[in-house]
Amino acid sequence: MATEVTNGVEHNGADVEKKTVTFTSVKTQVFVESLKANDAVSFYKSAFGAEEVNRVSYSKRKADQELPGLLSAEIKLAGTSFIVSDLSDDANALVKTVSSGMVFCLETEDVEAAVEKAVKAGAVADGEISEGEGACCGGRVGKVTDPYGVVWVICTPSVAKKSANVEA
Amino acid sequence: MATEVTNGVEHNGADVEKKTVTFTSVKTQVFVESLKANDAVSFYKSAFGAEEVNRVSYSKRKADQELPGLLSAEIKLAGTSFIVSDLSDDANALVKTVSSGMVFCLETEDVEAAVEKAVKAGAVADGEISEGEGACCGGRVGKVTDPYGVVWVICTPSVAKKSANVEA
C-alpha cells in the first residue's frame, strides 16, 4: 500500500488503488453438446452425488427443439461449485468462441479494471466488455484468453441473473 | 457408518453403505504447453492476484530441456484452488489422453467405489486404477470420461504427493 501523508493525515494513493481488483468467485464452466446439459447434470448427481444449486434455462426453445436449452446449472461437489451449460451456436459470443469445452468464470465488481490488468499481464481481450447474458454471470461481462489458450470470463456476480429471462 | 443390530434394533444394510462415496475435493486442472506451466503460474499471479499454494516439479529434466517440467502447481484464486501442469508426452497415461486442456480432479479415499459408481452412471473408465503420479493427487488414481467428453481424474488426496519425487 502506498501511503501519502498530508498535514498528518494518511491516505492511500489513487494509482495503487486502481490496480487492486477483488475477485469474489472463480468457477469452472463446462459446455456440453446442445441440449445435453440437463442429462449431464443428472449424471453428475448420480455419478458423484453433486447437488444442483440453481439453474437458468433459455426463455425460448428453437423450432426444432422440444425443450429450451440450459443456459447454466450450478452444481456443487465436494464444496466447490461449477457450471454446466448447453453449448449454443447462437446464444452469444462467449459460447461461440469456446473450443476446449471448459472455461473459468471469474467474478468481480470491477470488470473493466480486471480485464485491463489481465491484458497488461499478457492476456488477449476477446471483444468489448458488454452487458451480457454470460451463463456464469450477470451484468457486465468481459472475456480474455490467456497466453496458454485458457478462456477467462470476467464478470459481475451472478445474483441479478438468476431471476432474469435470457433470450436464446 | 454401518451399524448392525439384532434383537429388535435397526441396522443399515451393507449394500447401501457400499454405494456411499465421499469426495473431499474437486479441483480443475489446466494443462499448458510443455514447460510453459511456470510462466502460466506467474501470469495467474500478476493477472488475477492468484497465490501459489504448492508446487511439484518432475525430478528429472529431459535432455533438451534446461529445467524440469512442472508436474503441478496449485493456485488459489478467490478462495478456490486449481492446478496448473505442463502437458507432457511421456509422463503418464493421464496427461496423454487429455485433449481439452482441462480436467476435473476429484479426491476420495475410495477410488474403486467412486470409479465403479461413475461407470454405472454412464462414464467410461480409461484404463485401470493404478498407483499413480497424477499431478493433482497421490496414491491411487483412476480416470473416467463422462458421457459429455469431460475427463474426471478420481484419486486419493494429494497429501503424500507433496513430498514425493516424480520421474518424468
Side-chain angles (χ1 to χ4, degrees):
Chain A
M1 293 286 165
T3 50
E4 193 180 346
V5 183
T6 323
N7 295 333
V9 185
E10 198 176 6
H11 73 97
N12 293 321
D15 285 348
V16 174
E17 290 301 307
K18 263 192 216 164
K19 304 270 184 194
T20 303
V21 178
T22 301
F23 295 106
T24 49
S25 165
V26 58
K27 290 177 190 141
T28 304
Q29 182 179 16
V30 180
F31 292 98
V32 302
E33 190 190 335
S34 191
L35 297 184
K36 296 283 188 187
N38 191 55
D39 292 347
V41 170
S42 298
F43 171 83
Y44 298 135
K45 288 178 184 173
S46 61
F48 305 129
E51 285 172 56
E52 184 173 326
V53 178
N54 71 60
R55 103 169 17 211
V56 181
S57 295
Y58 289 107
S59 58
K60 293 179 179 173
R61 64 177 178 81
K62 291 203 276 188
D64 59 342
Q65 293 175 354
E66 282 188 28
L67 295 170
L70 194 54
L71 177 68
S72 69
E74 185 169 343
I75 298 297
K76 197 164 193 177
L77 174 54
T80 299
S81 290
F82 64 94
I83 293 163
V84 182
S85 297
D86 275 315
L87 193 53
S88 164
D89 59 7
D90 63 359
N92 56 39
L94 162 65
V95 175
K96 277 181 197 153
T97 56
V98 172
S99 59
S100 72
M102 287 164 79
V103 303
F104 283 115
C105 296
L106 199 49
E107 291 183 2
T108 179
E109 292 293 345
D110 194 347
V111 173
E112 282 75 6
V115 168
E116 185 186 344
K117 195 173 173 185
V119 168
K120 274 189 185 157
V124 175
D126 296 335
E128 300 293 313
I129 294 167
S130 59
E131 295 297 318
E133 67 272 46
C136 55
C137 37
R140 296 183 68 67
V141 182
K143 186 162 62 82
V144 302
T145 301
D146 75 24
Y148 315 96
V150 177
V151 174
W152 295 79
V153 178
I154 299 175
C155 53
T156 46
S158 58
V159 180
K161 176 208 68 179
K162 287 169 190 171
S163 61
N165 282 328
V166 177
E167 300 292 318
Chain B
M1 303 300 126
T3 47
E4 193 178 348
V5 185
T6 333
N7 298 331
V9 192
E10 197 179 2
H11 76 97
N12 294 320
D15 285 347
V16 175
E17 290 301 307
K18 265 193 215 163
K19 303 270 182 192
T20 303
V21 178
T22 301
F23 295 106
T24 49
S25 165
V26 57
K27 289 175 191 144
T28 304
Q29 183 180 15
V30 179
F31 292 98
V32 301
E33 190 190 336
S34 191
L35 297 184
K36 297 283 190 188
N38 190 55
D39 292 346
V41 170
S42 298
F43 171 82
Y44 298 134
K45 288 178 183 173
S46 60
F48 304 129
E51 286 172 53
E52 185 173 324
V53 177
N54 72 61
R55 101 167 22 209
V56 181
S57 295
Y58 288 106
S59 59
K60 292 180 180 173
R61 62 177 179 82
K62 290 204 278 190
D64 59 343
Q65 293 174 354
E66 282 189 28
L67 295 168
L70 194 55
L71 177 68
S72 69
E74 184 169 343
I75 297 297
K76 196 163 193 177
L77 173 54
T80 298
S81 290
F82 64 94
I83 293 163
V84 182
S85 297
D86 275 315
L87 193 52
S88 163
D89 58 7
D90 63 359
N92 57 39
L94 162 66
V95 174
K96 276 180 197 156
T97 57
V98 171
S99 59
S100 73
M102 287 164 78
V103 303
F104 282 114
C105 295
L106 200 50
E107 290 184 1
T108 179
E109 291 293 346
D110 193 346
V111 173
E112 282 76 5
V115 168
E116 185 186 344
K117 196 172 173 186
V119 168
K120 274 189 185 158
V124 175
D126 296 336
E128 301 292 312
I129 293 166
S130 60
E131 296 296 320
E133 68 271 47
C136 55
C137 38
R140 298 183 67 67
V141 182
K143 186 163 62 82
V144 303
T145 302
D146 76 23
Y148 315 96
V150 177
V151 173
W152 294 79
V153 178
I154 298 175
C155 53
T156 45
S158 56
V159 179
K161 177 207 68 181
K162 288 169 190 171
S163 60
N165 282 328
V166 177
E167 301 291 318

Coordinates of all heavy atoms in Angstrom, one line a residue, chain B residues 80-162:
Chain B
T80 N -10.8 -20.5 -4.3 CA -10.8 -21.8 -5.0 C -9.4 -22.2 -5.5 O -8.7 -21.3 -6.0 CB -11.8 -21.7 -6.2 OG1 -13.1 -21.4 -5.6 CG2 -11.9 -23.0 -6.9
S81 N -9.1 -23.4 -5.4 CA -7.8 -23.9 -5.8 C -8.0 -24.5 -7.2 O -9.0 -25.2 -7.5 CB -7.3 -25.0 -4.9 OG -6.9 -24.4 -3.7
F82 N -7.0 -24.3 -8.1 CA -6.9 -25.1 -9.3 C -5.5 -25.4 -9.5 O -4.6 -24.9 -8.9 CB -7.6 -24.5 -10.5 CG -7.1 -23.2 -11.0 CD1 -6.1 -23.1 -12.0 CD2 -7.5 -22.0 -10.4 CE1 -5.6 -21.9 -12.4 CE2 -7.0 -20.8 -10.9 CZ -6.0 -20.8 -11.9
I83 N -5.2 -26.3 -10.5 CA -3.9 -26.8 -10.7 C -3.4 -26.5 -12.1 O -4.1 -26.7 -13.0 CB -3.9 -28.4 -10.4 CG1 -4.2 -28.6 -8.9 CG2 -2.6 -29.0 -10.8 CD1 -4.6 -30.0 -8.6
V84 N -2.2 -26.1 -12.2 CA -1.5 -25.9 -13.5 C -0.4 -26.9 -13.7 O 0.4 -27.0 -12.8 CB -1.0 -24.4 -13.5 CG1 -0.4 -24.1 -14.9 CG2 -2.1 -23.4 -13.2
S85 N -0.4 -27.5 -14.8 CA 0.6 -28.5 -15.1 C 1.2 -28.4 -16.5 O 0.4 -28.0 -17.4 CB 0.0 -29.9 -15.0 OG -0.4 -30.2 -13.7
D86 N 2.4 -28.8 -16.7 CA 3.0 -28.9 -18.0 C 2.4 -30.1 -18.7 O 2.3 -31.2 -18.1 CB 4.5 -29.1 -17.9 CG 5.2 -27.8 -17.9 OD1 4.9 -26.9 -18.6 OD2 6.2 -27.7 -17.0
L87 N 1.9 -29.9 -19.9 CA 1.5 -31.0 -20.7 C 2.7 -31.8 -21.1 O 3.7 -31.2 -21.6 CB 0.7 -30.5 -21.9 CG -0.1 -31.4 -22.8 CD1 -1.1 -32.2 -21.9 CD2 -0.9 -30.6 -23.8
S88 N 2.7 -33.1 -20.9 CA 3.9 -33.9 -21.1 C 3.5 -35.1 -22.0 O 2.5 -35.7 -21.8 CB 4.4 -34.4 -19.7 OG 5.3 -35.5 -19.9
D89 N 4.4 -35.4 -22.9 CA 4.1 -36.5 -23.8 C 4.6 -37.8 -23.2 O 4.3 -38.9 -23.8 CB 4.6 -36.3 -25.2 CG 6.0 -36.0 -25.3 OD1 6.7 -36.2 -24.2 OD2 6.5 -35.7 -26.4
D90 N 5.3 -37.8 -22.1 CA 5.8 -39.1 -21.7 C 5.6 -39.3 -20.2 O 6.1 -40.3 -19.6 CB 7.3 -39.1 -22.0 CG 8.1 -38.1 -21.3 OD1 7.5 -37.2 -20.5 OD2 9.3 -38.1 -21.4
A91 N 4.9 -38.4 -19.5 CA 4.8 -38.5 -18.1 C 3.9 -39.7 -17.6 O 4.3 -40.6 -16.9 CB 4.2 -37.3 -17.5
N92 N 2.7 -39.7 -18.1 CA 1.8 -40.8 -17.7 C 0.6 -40.8 -18.6 O 0.3 -39.9 -19.4 CB 1.4 -40.6 -16.2 CG 0.7 -39.3 -16.0 OD1 0.0 -38.7 -16.8 ND2 1.0 -38.7 -14.8
A93 N -0.2 -41.8 -18.5 CA -1.4 -42.0 -19.4 C -2.4 -40.9 -19.2 O -3.1 -40.5 -20.1 CB -2.0 -43.4 -19.1
L94 N -2.5 -40.4 -18.0 CA -3.4 -39.3 -17.7 C -3.2 -38.2 -18.7 O -4.1 -37.7 -19.3 CB -3.2 -38.8 -16.3 CG -3.9 -37.4 -16.0 CD1 -5.4 -37.5 -16.1 CD2 -3.5 -36.9 -14.7
V95 N -2.0 -37.7 -18.7 CA -1.7 -36.5 -19.5 C -1.9 -36.8 -20.9 O -2.4 -35.9 -21.7 CB -0.3 -36.0 -19.2 CG1 0.1 -34.8 -20.1 CG2 -0.2 -35.6 -17.7
K96 N -1.5 -38.0 -21.4 CA -1.6 -38.3 -22.8 C -2.9 -38.2 -23.4 O -3.1 -37.9 -24.5 CB -1.0 -39.7 -23.0 CG 0.5 -39.8 -23.1 CD 0.8 -41.3 -23.4 CE 2.3 -41.5 -23.1 NZ 2.6 -42.9 -22.7
T97 N -3.9 -38.6 -22.6 CA -5.3 -38.7 -23.2 C -6.1 -37.4 -23.0 O -7.3 -37.4 -23.4 CB -6.0 -39.8 -22.5 OG1 -6.1 -39.6 -21.1 CG2 -5.4 -41.2 -22.8
V98 N -5.5 -36.4 -22.4 CA -6.3 -35.2 -22.3 C -6.2 -34.3 -23.5 O -5.1 -34.0 -24.0 CB -5.8 -34.4 -21.1 CG1 -6.4 -33.0 -21.1 CG2 -6.0 -35.1 -19.8
S99 N -7.3 -34.0 -24.1 CA -7.3 -33.2 -25.3 C -7.9 -31.8 -25.1 O -7.5 -30.9 -25.8 CB -8.1 -33.9 -26.4 OG -9.4 -34.1 -26.0
S100 N -8.7 -31.6 -24.1 CA -9.4 -30.4 -23.9 C -8.5 -29.3 -23.2 O -8.9 -28.2 -23.2 CB -10.7 -30.5 -23.1 OG -10.4 -30.8 -21.8
G101 N -7.5 -29.8 -22.5 CA -6.6 -28.8 -21.8 C -7.1 -28.6 -20.4 O -6.4 -28.1 -19.6
M102 N -8.2 -29.2 -20.0 CA -8.7 -29.0 -18.6 C -9.4 -30.3 -18.2 O -10.2 -30.9 -19.0 CB -9.6 -27.8 -18.5 CG -8.9 -26.5 -18.5 SD -10.0 -25.1 -18.8 CE -10.7 -24.8 -17.2
V103 N -9.2 -30.7 -17.0 CA -9.9 -31.9 -16.4 C -10.3 -31.5 -15.0 O -9.9 -30.5 -14.4 CB -9.0 -33.2 -16.3 CG1 -8.4 -33.5 -17.7 CG2 -7.8 -33.0 -15.3
F104 N -11.2 -32.3 -14.4 CA -11.6 -32.2 -13.0 C -10.8 -33.3 -12.3 O -10.8 -34.4 -12.7 CB -13.1 -32.4 -12.8 CG -13.9 -31.2 -13.1 CD1 -14.8 -31.3 -14.2 CD2 -13.8 -30.1 -12.4 CE1 -15.6 -30.2 -14.5 CE2 -14.6 -29.0 -12.7 CZ -15.5 -29.1 -13.8
C105 N -10.2 -32.9 -11.1 CA -9.6 -33.8 -10.2 C -10.5 -34.0 -9.0 O -10.8 -33.0 -8.4 CB -8.3 -33.3 -9.7 SG -7.1 -33.2 -11.1
L106 N -10.9 -35.2 -8.7 CA -11.9 -35.5 -7.7 C -11.2 -36.4 -6.7 O -10.7 -37.4 -7.0 CB -13.0 -36.2 -8.4 CG -14.4 -36.2 -7.8 CD1 -14.9 -34.9 -7.3 CD2 -15.4 -36.8 -8.8
E107 N -11.1 -35.9 -5.4 CA -10.4 -36.6 -4.4 C -11.3 -37.4 -3.5 O -12.4 -36.9 -3.0 CB -9.6 -35.7 -3.5 CG -8.4 -35.1 -4.2 CD -7.6 -34.2 -3.3 OE1 -7.9 -34.1 -2.1 OE2 -6.6 -33.6 -3.8
T108 N -11.0 -38.7 -3.3 CA -11.7 -39.5 -2.4 C -10.8 -40.6 -1.8 O -9.8 -41.0 -2.5 CB -12.9 -40.2 -3.1 OG1 -13.7 -41.0 -2.2 CG2 -12.5 -41.0 -4.3
E109 N -11.2 -41.1 -0.7 CA -10.4 -42.2 -0.1 C -10.7 -43.5 -0.8 O -10.0 -44.5 -0.6 CB -10.6 -42.3 1.4 CG -10.0 -41.2 2.2 CD -8.5 -41.1 2.2 OE1 -7.9 -42.1 1.8 OE2 -8.0 -40.0 2.6
D110 N -11.8 -43.6 -1.5 CA -12.3 -44.9 -2.0 C -12.4 -44.8 -3.6 O -13.5 -44.6 -4.1 CB -13.6 -45.3 -1.4 CG -13.9 -46.8 -1.7 OD1 -13.3 -47.3 -2.6 OD2 -14.8 -47.3 -1.1
V111 N -11.3 -44.8 -4.2 CA -11.2 -44.6 -5.7 C -12.0 -45.7 -6.4 O -12.7 -45.4 -7.3 CB -9.7 -44.6 -6.1 CG1 -9.6 -44.6 -7.6 CG2 -9.0 -43.4 -5.5
E112 N -11.8 -46.9 -5.9 CA -12.5 -48.1 -6.6 C -14.0 -47.8 -6.6 O -14.7 -48.0 -7.7 CB -12.2 -49.4 -5.9 CG -10.8 -50.0 -6.2 CD -9.7 -49.3 -5.5 OE1 -9.9 -48.4 -4.7 OE2 -8.5 -49.6 -5.8
A113 N -14.6 -47.5 -5.5 CA -16.0 -47.4 -5.4 C -16.5 -46.2 -6.2 O -17.6 -46.2 -6.9 CB -16.5 -47.2 -3.9
A114 N -15.7 -45.1 -6.2 CA -16.1 -43.9 -6.9 C -16.1 -44.2 -8.4 O -17.0 -43.8 -9.2 CB -15.1 -42.8 -6.6
V115 N -15.1 -44.9 -8.9 CA -15.0 -45.2 -10.4 C -16.1 -46.1 -10.7 O -16.8 -45.9 -11.7 CB -13.6 -45.8 -10.7 CG1 -13.7 -46.4 -12.1 CG2 -12.5 -44.8 -10.6
E116 N -16.4 -47.1 -9.9 CA -17.5 -48.1 -10.2 C -18.8 -47.3 -10.3 O -19.6 -47.6 -11.2 CB -17.5 -49.1 -9.1 CG -18.5 -50.2 -9.3 CD -18.7 -51.2 -8.1 OE1 -17.8 -51.1 -7.3 OE2 -19.7 -51.9 -8.1
K117 N -19.0 -46.4 -9.3 CA -20.3 -45.7 -9.3 C -20.4 -44.8 -10.6 O -21.5 -44.7 -11.2 CB -20.4 -44.8 -8.1 CG -21.7 -44.3 -7.7 CD -21.8 -43.6 -6.4 CE -23.1 -43.0 -6.2 NZ -23.2 -42.2 -4.9
A118 N -19.3 -44.2 -11.0 CA -19.4 -43.3 -12.1 C -19.6 -44.1 -13.4 O -20.4 -43.7 -14.3 CB -18.0 -42.5 -12.3
V119 N -19.0 -45.3 -13.5 CA -19.2 -46.1 -14.6 C -20.7 -46.6 -14.7 O -21.3 -46.7 -15.8 CB -18.2 -47.3 -14.6 CG1 -18.6 -48.3 -15.7 CG2 -16.8 -46.7 -14.9
K120 N -21.2 -47.0 -13.5 CA -22.6 -47.4 -13.5 C -23.5 -46.3 -14.0 O -24.6 -46.5 -14.6 CB -23.0 -47.8 -12.1 CG -22.7 -49.3 -11.8 CD -23.3 -49.7 -10.5 CE -22.8 -51.2 -10.2 NZ -22.9 -51.4 -8.7
A121 N -23.1 -45.1 -13.7 CA -24.0 -43.9 -14.1 C -23.8 -43.5 -15.5 O -24.5 -42.7 -16.0 CB -23.6 -42.7 -13.2
G122 N -22.8 -44.2 -16.2 CA -22.7 -43.9 -17.6 C -21.3 -43.4 -18.1 O -21.1 -43.2 -19.3
A123 N -20.3 -43.3 -17.2 CA -19.0 -42.9 -17.6 C -18.2 -44.1 -18.2 O -18.6 -45.2 -18.0 CB -18.2 -42.3 -16.4
V124 N -17.2 -43.8 -18.9 CA -16.3 -44.8 -19.4 C -15.0 -44.8 -18.6 O -14.3 -43.7 -18.6 CB -16.1 -44.7 -20.9 CG1 -15.1 -45.7 -21.4 CG2 -17.4 -44.8 -21.6
A125 N -14.5 -45.9 -18.0 CA -13.3 -45.9 -17.3 C -12.1 -45.9 -18.4 O -12.2 -46.6 -19.4 CB -13.2 -47.1 -16.4
D126 N -11.1 -45.1 -18.1 CA -10.0 -45.1 -19.0 C -8.8 -45.8 -18.3 O -8.2 -45.3 -17.5 CB -9.5 -43.6 -19.3 CG -10.6 -42.9 -20.1 OD1 -11.4 -43.5 -20.8 OD2 -10.6 -41.6 -20.0
G127 N -8.6 -47.1 -18.7 CA -7.5 -47.8 -18.1 C -7.9 -48.3 -16.7 O -9.0 -48.1 -16.2
E128 N -6.9 -48.9 -16.1 CA -7.1 -49.5 -14.8 C -6.8 -48.4 -13.7 O -6.0 -47.5 -14.0 CB -6.1 -50.7 -14.6 CG -6.3 -51.8 -15.6 CD -7.6 -52.5 -15.4 OE1 -7.9 -52.9 -14.2 OE2 -8.4 -52.8 -16.3
I129 N -7.3 -48.7 -12.5 CA -6.9 -47.9 -11.4 C -5.4 -48.2 -11.1 O -5.1 -49.4 -11.0 CB -7.8 -48.1 -10.2 CG1 -9.2 -47.6 -10.5 CG2 -7.2 -47.5 -8.9 CD1 -10.3 -48.1 -9.6
S130 N -4.6 -47.3 -10.8 CA -3.2 -47.6 -10.6 C -2.6 -46.8 -9.5 O -3.2 -45.8 -9.0 CB -2.4 -47.3 -11.9 OG -2.5 -46.0 -12.3
E131 N -1.4 -47.2 -9.1 CA -0.6 -46.3 -8.2 C 0.0 -45.2 -9.0 O 0.8 -45.5 -9.9 CB 0.5 -47.1 -7.5 CG -0.1 -48.2 -6.6 CD -0.9 -47.7 -5.4 OE1 -0.4 -46.6 -4.8 OE2 -1.9 -48.2 -5.0
G132 N -0.4 -44.0 -8.8 CA -0.1 -43.1 -9.9 C 0.6 -41.9 -9.4 O 0.7 -41.5 -8.2
E133 N 1.2 -41.2 -10.4 CA 1.8 -39.9 -10.1 C 0.9 -38.8 -10.7 O 1.4 -37.8 -11.3 CB 3.2 -39.9 -10.7 CG 3.3 -39.9 -12.2 CD 3.4 -41.3 -12.7 OE1 2.6 -42.2 -12.3 OE2 4.2 -41.6 -13.6
G134 N -0.4 -39.0 -10.7 CA -1.3 -38.0 -11.2 C -1.0 -36.7 -10.6 O -0.7 -36.6 -9.4
A135 N -1.0 -35.7 -11.4 CA -0.5 -34.4 -10.9 C -1.3 -33.8 -9.8 O -0.8 -33.0 -9.0 CB -0.4 -33.4 -12.1
C136 N -2.6 -34.1 -9.8 CA -3.4 -33.5 -8.8 C -3.7 -34.4 -7.6 O -4.5 -34.1 -6.7 CB -4.8 -33.1 -9.4 SG -5.6 -34.4 -10.2
C137 N -3.0 -35.5 -7.5 CA -3.3 -36.5 -6.5 C -2.1 -37.4 -6.2 O -1.2 -37.4 -6.9 CB -4.5 -37.3 -6.9 SG -4.6 -37.7 -8.6
G138 N -2.3 -38.1 -5.1 CA -1.2 -39.0 -4.7 C -1.9 -40.4 -4.5 O -3.1 -40.5 -4.3
G139 N -1.1 -41.4 -4.6 CA -1.6 -42.7 -4.3 C -2.4 -43.3 -5.5 O -1.9 -43.3 -6.6
R140 N -3.6 -43.8 -5.2 CA -4.4 -44.5 -6.2 C -5.1 -43.5 -7.1 O -5.7 -42.5 -6.7 CB -5.3 -45.5 -5.6 CG -4.6 -46.5 -4.8 CD -5.5 -47.6 -4.2 NE -6.2 -48.4 -5.2 CZ -5.5 -49.3 -6.0 NH1 -4.3 -49.4 -5.9 NH2 -6.2 -50.0 -6.8
V141 N -5.0 -43.8 -8.4 CA -5.6 -42.9 -9.4 C -6.4 -43.6 -10.4 O -5.9 -44.6 -11.0 CB -4.4 -42.1 -10.2 CG1 -5.0 -41.2 -11.2 CG2 -3.5 -41.4 -9.2
G142 N -7.6 -43.2 -10.6 CA -8.5 -43.8 -11.7 C -8.9 -42.6 -12.6 O -8.7 -41.4 -12.2
K143 N -9.4 -43.0 -13.7 CA -9.8 -41.9 -14.6 C -11.0 -42.3 -15.4 O -11.1 -43.5 -15.9 CB -8.7 -41.6 -15.6 CG -8.9 -40.4 -16.5 CD -7.6 -39.9 -17.1 CE -7.0 -40.9 -18.0 NZ -7.5 -40.9 -19.3
V144 N -12.0 -41.5 -15.5 CA -13.2 -41.8 -16.3 C -13.5 -40.6 -17.2 O -13.2 -39.4 -16.9 CB -14.4 -42.1 -15.4 CG1 -14.2 -43.2 -14.5 CG2 -14.9 -40.8 -14.7
T145 N -14.1 -40.9 -18.4 CA -14.6 -39.8 -19.3 C -16.1 -39.9 -19.2 O -16.7 -41.0 -19.3 CB -14.1 -40.1 -20.7 OG1 -12.7 -40.1 -20.7 CG2 -14.6 -38.9 -21.6
D146 N -16.7 -38.8 -18.9 CA -18.1 -38.8 -18.7 C -18.8 -38.8 -20.1 O -18.1 -38.7 -21.1 CB -18.6 -37.7 -17.8 CG -18.6 -36.3 -18.4 OD1 -18.7 -36.2 -19.6 OD2 -18.6 -35.4 -17.6
P147 N -20.1 -39.0 -20.2 CA -20.8 -39.1 -21.5 C -20.7 -37.8 -22.3 O -21.1 -37.8 -23.4 CB -22.2 -39.5 -21.1 CG -22.2 -40.0 -19.7 CD -21.0 -39.3 -19.0
Y148 N -20.2 -36.8 -21.7 CA -20.2 -35.5 -22.4 C -18.8 -35.1 -22.7 O -18.5 -33.9 -23.1 CB -20.9 -34.4 -21.5 CG -22.2 -35.0 -21.0 CD1 -22.2 -35.7 -19.7 CD2 -23.3 -35.2 -21.8 CE1 -23.4 -36.3 -19.3 CE2 -24.4 -35.9 -21.4 CZ -24.4 -36.4 -20.2 OH -25.6 -37.1 -19.8
G149 N -17.8 -36.0 -22.6 CA -16.5 -35.8 -23.0 C -15.6 -35.2 -22.0 O -14.4 -34.9 -22.3
V150 N -16.1 -35.0 -20.8 CA -15.2 -34.4 -19.8 C -14.5 -35.4 -19.0 O -15.0 -36.5 -18.6 CB -16.1 -33.6 -18.8 CG1 -15.3 -33.0 -17.6 CG2 -16.9 -32.4 -19.5
V151 N -13.2 -35.2 -18.8 CA -12.3 -36.2 -18.1 C -12.3 -35.9 -16.6 O -12.1 -34.7 -16.2 CB -10.9 -36.1 -18.6 CG1 -10.0 -37.0 -17.8 CG2 -10.9 -36.6 -20.1
W152 N -12.6 -36.9 -15.8 CA -12.5 -36.8 -14.3 C -11.4 -37.7 -13.8 O -11.5 -39.0 -14.0 CB -13.9 -37.3 -13.8 CG -15.0 -36.4 -14.1 CD1 -15.7 -36.3 -15.3 CD2 -15.6 -35.4 -13.3 NE1 -16.7 -35.4 -15.3 CE2 -16.6 -34.8 -14.0 CE3 -15.4 -34.9 -12.0 CZ2 -17.4 -33.7 -13.5 CZ3 -16.2 -33.9 -11.5 CH2 -17.2 -33.3 -12.3
V153 N -10.4 -37.2 -13.2 CA -9.4 -37.9 -12.5 C -9.9 -38.2 -11.1 O -10.2 -37.2 -10.4 CB -8.1 -37.2 -12.5 CG1 -7.0 -38.0 -11.8 CG2 -7.6 -36.8 -13.9
I154 N -10.0 -39.4 -10.7 CA -10.5 -39.8 -9.4 C -9.4 -40.4 -8.6 O -8.8 -41.4 -9.0 CB -11.7 -40.7 -9.5 CG1 -12.9 -40.1 -10.3 CG2 -12.2 -41.2 -8.1 CD1 -14.1 -41.0 -10.5
C155 N -9.0 -39.8 -7.5 CA -7.8 -40.2 -6.8 C -7.8 -40.0 -5.3 O -8.7 -39.2 -4.8 CB -6.6 -39.4 -7.4 SG -6.9 -37.7 -7.4
T156 N -6.9 -40.6 -4.6 CA -6.8 -40.3 -3.2 C -6.1 -39.0 -3.0 O -5.4 -38.5 -3.9 CB -5.9 -41.4 -2.5 OG1 -4.8 -41.7 -3.3 CG2 -6.7 -42.7 -2.4
P157 N -6.4 -38.4 -1.8 CA -5.9 -37.0 -1.6 C -4.4 -36.9 -1.8 O -3.7 -37.8 -1.6 CB -6.4 -36.7 -0.2 CG -7.6 -37.5 0.0 CD -7.3 -38.8 -0.7
S158 N -4.0 -35.6 -2.0 CA -2.6 -35.4 -2.5 C -1.6 -35.1 -1.4 O -0.5 -34.7 -1.7 CB -2.6 -34.2 -3.5 OG -3.2 -33.1 -2.9
V159 N -1.9 -35.4 -0.2 CA -1.0 -35.1 0.9 C 0.3 -35.8 0.7 O 1.4 -35.1 0.8 CB -1.6 -35.5 2.3 CG1 -0.6 -35.2 3.4 CG2 -3.0 -34.8 2.5
A160 N 0.3 -37.0 0.4 CA 1.5 -37.8 0.3 C 2.4 -37.3 -0.9 O 3.6 -37.2 -0.8 CB 1.2 -39.3 0.0
K161 N 1.7 -36.9 -1.9 CA 2.4 -36.5 -3.1 C 3.4 -35.3 -3.0 O 4.4 -35.2 -3.6 CB 1.3 -36.1 -4.2 CG 1.9 -35.6 -5.5 CD 0.9 -34.6 -6.1 CE 0.7 -33.3 -5.3 NZ -0.2 -32.4 -5.9
K162 N 3.0 -34.4 -2.0 CA 3.7 -33.2 -2.0 C 5.2 -33.4 -1.7 O 6.0 -32.5 -2.0 CB 3.1 -32.2 -1.0 CG 1.8 -31.7 -1.6 CD 0.9 -31.0 -0.5 CE -0.5 -30.7 -1.1 NZ -1.4 -30.2 -0.1

